[in-house]
Amino acid sequence: MSHKTSKRLQTYELALRDLQEDDIDKLHQLSVGVGWPHRPDDWRLLLKVGKGFAGCDKIGRIVGSAMWFPMGNDFATIGMVITTPQLQAQGGGGWLMDHVMQQCHGRRLQIIAPQAAYRLAHALGFKAVSVVHQHQGTAIDPGEVSLPADTRVRPLKATDFVDIARLDLAAFGADRTAILEELVGRSTGTVLEREGCIAGFALCRRFGRGHVVGPVVAKDSSDAIALTAPHVAKHAGRFLRVDTTQSEGDFTEFLKRCGMEEHEKVTVMTHPSPGAADTEVATFALVNQSLG
């Protein structure tokens, strides 16, 4: 596997360098150019919790990016692999992925691949393990939602962090504490208590065209709906997005009823395939495509 920091792609001579905060405006232009919804503030969060590379042409324009997000010492997700269409056709995406994977050597890897990136990820040894269903639209107030027996839903408090980090680890099988701290600082949250103990949580923050709900970590669909409903009600009449691995069932029907139809499917792929996590809770909504 080649790890050269420059590469000639037909008429392109590209240089590779680390991403930095001064790149945010250029990165925003890059993502807008391929129709991704990320705002400058979304890029700012990504650069704070992740690392990555920019592929630059001879006059310094960023024509490609790739990032990775460490979670604990043995796991990482790969995201924000973006290239201009011409660069992609000339193998630029593979060149960027090569360098990210070198940086992540020794870690289990996960990528959430849109259709355009699936073939590249598969060629690099990633295997499909599940599908993410992206639901979005103008939110409709769900009205009164019945709570599961012996539960209550309340706003997230700062003192809840240890409990939600424990639930997040059980659901994802990877230590996302550093990322979760950043998300909590930018989000409103709900927690579900059962018999006085926190049994699930949901976060909601500004993202892209409106807001995104995620992660939602809960025991079952009923808990997930109870946690998500307050966020939907709060943002009724505005754009809302939820990314979920649930393909059908009560939770997805709830999202559709609340105005969030399925917009796109993307594939969760791993390299190498990690062992199954020992989970007592489930992930009903992901952070979003970028952070896995």
Side-chain angles (χ1 to χ4, degrees):
M1 186 176 287
S2 172
H3 303 302
K4 295 180 180 179
T5 57
S6 65
K7 183 176 180 67
R8 180 176 291 278
L9 298 171
Q10 295 183 15
T11 59
Y12 277 103
E13 177 71 32
L14 298 183
L16 191 76
R17 63 168 175 78
D18 292 340
L19 290 175
Q20 52 196 13
E21 190 165 356
D22 289 346
D23 294 326
I24 286 175
D25 287 343
K26 293 179 180 178
L27 291 168
H28 180 233
Q29 292 173 10
L30 180 68
S31 57
V32 167
V34 296
W36 288 21
H38 298 71
R39 304 166 303 140
D41 280 350
D42 299 323
W43 274 106
R44 192 166 287 109
L45 170 61
L46 294 168
L47 291 178
K48 190 163 187 178
V49 299
K51 307 174 183 181
F53 299 105
C56 303
D57 64 15
K58 61 182 179 181
I59 62 172
R61 293 177 300 188
I62 294 178
V63 294
S65 68
M67 296 190 69
W68 64 284
F69 305 92
M71 301 179 186
N73 296 318
D74 61 353
F75 182 75
T77 62
I78 295 175
M80 305 311 291
V81 182
I82 307 174
T83 60
T84 60
Q86 184 177 5
L87 181 61
Q88 179 62 44
Q90 297 179 26
W95 177 58
L96 289 163
M97 283 285 290
D98 178 12
H99 284 278
V100 168
M101 292 179 70
Q102 181 191 18
Q103 290 287 305
C104 297
H105 180 71
R107 293 175 182 263
R108 295 178 295 124
L109 299 178
Q110 176 179 287
I111 186 170
I112 299 180
Q115 185 176 359
Y118 181 91
R119 184 176 297 180
L120 171 61
H122 186 267
L124 291 171
F126 284 83
K127 305 297 183 184
V129 294
S130 62
V131 174
V132 172
H133 305 263
Q134 297 179 356
H135 289 256
Q136 62 184 46
T138 302
I140 298 171
D141 191 334
E144 185 175 354
V145 173
S146 299
L147 295 179
D150 301 319
T151 67
R152 73 170 183 133
V153 172
R154 62 165 175 79
L156 174 73
K157 299 182 296 187
T159 53
D160 297 327
F161 186 81
V162 172
D163 288 320
I164 69 169
R166 171 182 53 80
L167 288 170
D168 190 79
L169 176 61
F172 283 90
D175 183 2
R176 307 194 311 166
T177 302
I179 290 173
L180 199 60
E181 286 177 340
E182 293 294 334
L183 293 177
V184 168
R186 290 166 168 78
S187 303
T188 58
T190 49
V191 298
L192 182 140
E193 290 184 339
R194 179 173 280 109
E195 297 180 354
C197 297
I198 294 177
F201 72 94
L203 301 179
C204 181
R205 75 180 197 282
R206 282 278 291 123
F207 173 77
R209 295 170 56 189
H211 285 74
V212 62
V213 181
V216 177
V217 175
K219 179 182 177 182
D220 54 29
S221 292
S222 295
D223 284 9
I225 291 169
L227 285 161
T228 305
H231 299 296
V232 179
K234 180 178 179 179
H235 298 290
R238 290 177 284 173
F239 184 88
L240 194 61
R241 170 175 164 174
V242 180
D243 295 354
T244 177
T245 54
Q246 305 295 306
S247 61
E248 58 185 14
D250 292 344
F251 186 65
T252 56
E253 289 304 313
F254 168 78
L255 296 178
K256 293 174 183 178
R257 190 167 67 250
C258 292
M260 288 172 280
E261 294 290 338
E262 183 173 310
H263 173 69
E264 187 179 0
K265 295 178 184 178
V266 292
T267 306
V268 180
M269 307 180 75
T270 59
H271 182 291
S273 298
D278 181 14
T279 62
E280 296 181 355
V281 291
T283 308
F284 281 82
L286 307 180
V287 173
N288 64 40
Q289 181 179 333
S290 307
L291 296 178

